[in-house]
Amino acid sequence: MKKLVAILLSALMLTSCGAEAASEEQTDAVTKATTTTPEETGSTEPEPEAESPEASGSKILVAYFSCTNTTEQIAEWIADYTGADIYEIIAADPYTDEDLQYYTGGRADQEQSDDSARPEIDGTVENIEDYDVIFLGYPIWHGQAPKIVYTFLESYDFGNVTIIPFCTSHSSGIGSSAENLHSLVSDTVSWDDGRRFSGDATESDVTEWIESLDLPESEVSAVSEVGVFNFETKTVLLNSGYEMPIMGLGTYSLSDEECAVSIAALLEAGGRLIDTAYMYGNEAAVGEAIRNSDVPREEIFVITKLYPTQYSYAAEAIDDALERMGLDYIDMIILHHPGNGDVEAYLALEQAVADGKVRSIGLSNWYVEELEEFLPQVNITPALVQNEIHPYYQENDVIPYIQSLGIVVQGWYPLGGRGHTSELLNDETIVAIAEAHGVSSAQVILRWNLQKGVVVIPGSSDPDHIRENLDLFDFELTDEEMDAINALDRNEKHDWY
């Protein structure tokens, strides 16, 4: 697969090894802007390296105020898509539910009716002059932006920045709220007309808006796209600089003959991601199927794994995998699960990258505690973490943590795993959603994963199912449908890893 700005990305990701775990408020690959709030005093997060010329001029900040999380969601989508830093405007005296009750004479009513009201903000944005573009988000209160947003704008000298406002409201437009805010900044600031989003806005609504803006191309750099799913190309950019398909085929338990048939069906249908492992015993068959296909090698992304029994001789095991598969390079090798010597084995993977034998490296069956212990001991941040993920075992605490580190998440057993697939595919909630869209239960589950930012590798030896499992882009699950599937979580793991 195509490599993008690999040198820049590698340098940036090296700085993340050993950094503190991101807070729960950080989702996807969004990096929170540096602030001086009391909670963050004493942070040991390392300073970022100087930007390379390729990333210059690309500093974007999303600053937002939110009380009911609606504006927060829009802000996170913007930051996720643009690679921006994100800063939440937090009141020093937090708003209570009672404060927000309209027409009761409460705090919000009083502030909105007082032109001089300027609620104090807890924390500041450091080096705000470094930003070229600031997206400014807020809810509409009585037809206007909350007065705490006025406080924010009057707290800084923005220089020549471009400010792009956005608001959330069920009815009121952005209209005079943006005009009144514009009057608070100097004439050197470029001010965009902005956009209103309703409470039921989707991520695609937000990305379409961003794409319509006249942003300089350099402001959405290749670095900013790491970890973001591109549903048009059906790929994701890894922190290693390579693009990986977001759906493919898992070959666990497939015999050599089944592998040949399954991979042929996958490639014929346009699939380009294949997952195998030393322990599956079919690496040779996978390599042969790739060589026998008419698809150019560089279009196919191959993942294999070293098992703990190989960790003591990892360098030789990598060479053995290359020989078995008959390939000049392997797109990604990951460690199958934690075990004795895993750090040393990972360092051997790093050397294989340096030697050009392997392009990207990662881990499988590593969770929060394991990653917190493991990452400070290695030099290259994993490009991928592959874990069991399906509607009955969702890892909703693990996925955002991994993504916040700039690591892509991939789910094995996306359909529940052997012995559990039938129950999951016949779950009444999933069946109802499938019927509503005219698709299969398997397609609903796989699409649910993609919309959560999880790469899927369902296993199958049935060519019809393989084709169906790739056909995930002609429908989209609503927020309500996503919530309904999220509610199915049982924390029910179906394998021991």
Side-chain angles (χ1 to χ4, degrees), residues 159-186:
N160 297 314
V161 74
T162 296
I163 295 181
I164 305 174
F166 65 95
C167 72
T168 53
S169 169
H170 291 291
S171 55
S172 302
I174 196 166
S176 62
S177 75
E179 294 171 8
N180 291 336
L181 293 176
H182 186 187
S183 68
L184 302 176
V185 298
S186 71

Side-chain angles (χ1 to χ4, degrees), residues 8 27 52 59 111 119 131 134 136 138 157 231 281 285 327 332 348 350 360 367 400 444 478:
L8 171 61
T27 57
S52 78
K59 289 282 285 184
E111 290 178 354
Y131 292 100
I134 297 177
L136 178 63
Y138 52 89
D157 177 4
F231 278 51
L327 302 177
M332 179 179 290
E350 294 182 349
S360 304
Y367 301 88
V444 166
T478 66

Side-chain angles (χ1 to χ4, degrees), residues 285-474:
V286 169
E288 182 177 3
I290 291 171
R291 293 194 304 276
N292 290 340
S293 76
D294 295 328
V295 178
R297 168 67 184 97
E298 62 271 16
E299 293 184 13
I300 303 172
F301 197 104
V302 182
I303 302 174
T304 192
K305 311 174 190 70
L306 298 188
Y307 204 68
T309 54
Q310 298 176 291
Y311 291 172
S312 62
Y313 60 97
E316 293 85 351
I318 294 166
D319 290 339
D320 290 344
L322 282 163
E323 184 176 353
R324 275 193 300 274
M325 301 179 81
L327 302 177
D328 294 331
Y329 65 90
I330 296 174
D331 297 273
M332 179 179 290
I333 296 184
I334 61 181
L335 302 186
H336 209 132
H337 65 77
N340 292 333
D342 50 15
V343 171
E344 291 75 13
Y346 191 88
L347 295 177
L349 296 185
E350 294 182 349
Q351 185 60 49
V353 171
D355 294 340
K357 299 175 181 179
V358 178
R359 291 187 166 180
S360 304
I361 56 180
L363 304 167
S364 184
N365 304 299
W366 255 262
Y367 301 88
V368 175
E369 291 183 6
E370 290 86 352
L371 287 168
E372 288 179 340
E373 178 181 355
F374 186 86
L375 293 181
Q377 303 181 72
V378 300
N379 303 302
I380 299 177
T381 299
L384 183 80
V385 171
Q386 183 191 95
N387 286 340
E388 178 180 347
I389 300 171
H390 48 76
Y392 291 163
Y393 187 73
Q394 298 189 16
E395 291 195 11
N396 289 321
D397 57 337
V398 179
I399 293 172
Y401 170 77
I402 294 173
Q403 292 171 334
S404 75
L405 301 175
I407 302 171
V408 171
V409 177
Q410 187 176 75
W412 54 266
Y413 275 3
L415 303 180
R418 289 162 179 78
H420 301 275
T421 301
S422 178
E423 179 188 9
L424 186 55
L425 295 183
N426 288 288
D427 186 285
E428 60 182 17
T429 296
I430 293 171
V431 169
I433 294 172
E435 291 176 349
H437 289 279
V439 298
S440 70
S441 292
Q443 287 172 305
V444 166
I445 294 169
L446 297 175
R447 178 73 194 200
W448 168 78
N449 273 278
L450 294 185
Q451 290 183 211
K452 288 168 71 76
V454 176
V455 177
V456 290
I457 46 170
S460 179
S461 59
D462 185 324
D464 290 336
H465 289 166
I466 291 170
R467 285 188 285 270
E468 179 184 277
N469 292 343
L470 297 173
D471 187 13
L472 307 175
F473 300 91
D474 291 332

Side-chain angles (χ1 to χ4, degrees), residues 2-3 13 31 37 47-48 77 104 108 112 126 161 254 269 274 289 343 358 449 470 473 480 496:
K2 185 178 180 182
K3 185 176 185 182
M13 294 314 300
T31 304
T37 59
E47 292 294 325
W77 283 335
T104 63
Q112 293 305 99
E126 293 184 359
V161 74
L254 295 183
I274 303 168
V343 171
V358 178
N449 273 278
L470 297 173
F473 300 91
E480 292 75 16
W496 66 272

